[in-house]
């Protein structure tokens, strides 16, 4: 294996950080690396907000769970899908942006996700660790007010970064033979049973707290109840109308 693959395979979520700050040089390097992610049609439909204000962080941490690491991490970033810049490009060229199409929403959401993954990998290559914070979508309207996020932009997730102050065990991922299909889609019930056994062993033997659980039990609980039903109305209000 090469160094890049080893780095990718070593990822784990870090929520406890040393108090050491992340230098501005490293922050800029991380965001610059994010900017080299693939982007649909060169749109680059994302904006990253570095949140320094302690009170703002405290409120977001509460809205997101609570998730106290949002407040305590040395660096907290909010990754936004951004079509306002595209609107500005149209205005610059004396054209009107035809907005509200589902494809535009997909483009912006994919663009910011690719950029954020680049940012996480870059951070880990610099000795940092971090965790994505999807919990900011618990109350995205409030997050938008706190961060003065305009229409045609929405916060997709946050990211806590810093120097790790914990040795977090790594959750086992789905095996390649489950996610990789040949020529067409095939069901993977047998392989999921094996994966459940791997996850059960992980949960029973991990050092921080053991429990009886499997992958399918977790996912079935999550997917059998409404998932942030406020998001559709929120996105439509922001200008993502799903035409």
């Amino acid at each position: 294996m090469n160094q890049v693959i080893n780095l990718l395979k070593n990822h784990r979520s870090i929520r406890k950080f040393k108090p050491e700050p992340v230098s501005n040089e490293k922050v800029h390097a991380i965001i610059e690396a994010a900017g080299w992610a693939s982007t649909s049609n060169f749109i680059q439909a994302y904006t990253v907000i570095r949140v320094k204000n302690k009170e703002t962080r405290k409120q977001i941490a509460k809205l997101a769970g609570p998730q106290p690491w949002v407040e305590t991490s040395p660096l907290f970033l909010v990754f936004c899908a951004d079509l306002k810049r595209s609107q500005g490009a149209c205005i610059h060229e004396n054209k009107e942006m035809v907005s509200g199409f589902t494809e535009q929403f997909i483009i912006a959401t994919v663009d910011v996700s690719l950029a954020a993954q680049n940012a996480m990998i870059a951070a880990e290559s610099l000795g940092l660790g971090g965790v994505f914070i999807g919990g900011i979508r618990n109350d995205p309207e409030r997050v938008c007010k706190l961060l003065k996020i305009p229409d045609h932009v929405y916060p997709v997730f946050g990211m806590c970064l810093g120097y790790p102050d914990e040795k977090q065990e790594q959750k086992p991922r789905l095996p390649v033979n489950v996610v990789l299909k040949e020529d067409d889609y095939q069901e993977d019930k047998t392989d999921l049973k094996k994966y459940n056994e791997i996850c059960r062993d992980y949960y029973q033997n991990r050092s921080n707290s053991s429990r009886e659980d499997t992958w399918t039990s977790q996912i079935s609980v999550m997917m059998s109840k409404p998932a942030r039903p406020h998001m559709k109305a929120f996105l439509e209000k922001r200008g993502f109308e799903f035409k």
Side-chain angles (χ1 to χ4, degrees):
M1 292 295 180
N2 62 37
Q3 289 183 334
V4 175
I5 292 177
N6 286 335
L7 176 66
L8 291 168
K9 292 178 68 176
N10 195 48
H11 171 74
R12 60 206 68 202
S13 293
I14 301 295
R15 296 176 176 85
K16 187 178 179 182
F17 305 96
K18 295 177 181 178
E20 181 181 350
V22 181
S23 69
N24 286 332
E25 290 77 14
K26 287 189 176 180
V27 175
H28 284 221
I30 290 166
I31 300 305
E32 186 176 23
W36 285 103
S38 297
T39 172
S40 179
N41 293 298
F42 201 41
I43 295 176
Q44 303 171 83
Y46 51 83
T47 288
V48 185
I49 301 173
R50 180 182 183 180
V51 185
K52 292 184 175 182
N53 185 280
K54 291 182 179 179
E55 182 57 31
T56 302
R57 282 233 224 161
K58 184 177 181 179
Q59 291 189 54
I60 294 175
K62 185 177 180 180
L63 292 171
Q67 297 193 54
W69 33 90
V70 170
E71 186 178 0
T72 59
S73 63
L75 177 62
F76 179 61
L77 306 171
V78 174
F79 285 80
C80 303
D82 186 344
L83 290 176
K84 185 170 180 61
R85 189 177 296 113
S86 301
Q87 184 183 47
C90 291
I91 293 171
H92 184 78
E93 298 294 335
N94 295 313
K95 295 181 180 179
E96 183 178 354
M97 184 172 79
V98 180
S99 62
F101 283 88
T102 302
E103 177 63 12
Q104 294 170 335
F105 166 78
I106 294 172
I107 285 171
T109 304
V110 171
D111 263 19
V112 71
S113 300
L114 294 173
Q117 183 64 10
N118 260 28
M120 179 63 79
I121 296 165
E124 290 175 341
S125 77
L126 295 171
L128 302 169
V131 62
F132 284 88
I133 307 295
I136 66 169
R137 299 193 303 277
N138 290 348
D139 192 343
E141 191 69 58
R142 180 63 181 154
V143 172
C144 285
K145 289 179 180 177
L146 287 169
L147 302 180
K148 299 179 181 178
I149 296 173
D151 289 347
H152 301 293
V153 184
Y154 86 96
V156 183
F157 40 68
M159 182 186 292
C160 297
L161 291 172
Y163 294 96
D165 196 22
E166 63 178 343
K167 292 199 175 201
Q168 188 63 262
E169 290 165 307
Q170 201 175 35
K171 284 184 180 179
R173 293 302 201 250
L174 285 164
V176 172
N177 61 320
V178 171
V179 298
L180 178 64
K181 313 297 183 184
E182 297 288 347
D183 292 324
D184 54 31
Y185 194 98
Q186 303 112 33
E187 295 291 337
D188 40 37
K189 292 180 180 178
T190 301
D191 291 319
L192 281 181
K193 289 180 181 178
K194 294 178 182 177
Y195 183 55
N196 269 343
E197 293 173 5
I198 293 171
C199 289
R200 182 183 288 111
D201 289 342
Y202 161 76
Y203 283 118
Q204 288 179 341
N205 297 316
R206 65 181 182 172
S207 58
N208 53 355
S209 63
S210 62
R211 73 181 199 233
E212 179 73 23
D213 209 349
T214 65
W215 184 78
T216 54
S217 66
Q218 284 186 64
I219 302 308
S220 65
V221 169
M222 184 179 72
M223 300 301 288
S224 60
K225 59 184 179 181
R228 298 189 178 109
H230 56 269
M231 283 301 297
K232 184 174 185 292
F234 164 76
L235 289 168
E236 289 173 344
K237 185 178 178 181
R238 292 262 119 194
F240 299 92
E241 299 172 22
F242 304 102
K243 297 178 185 175

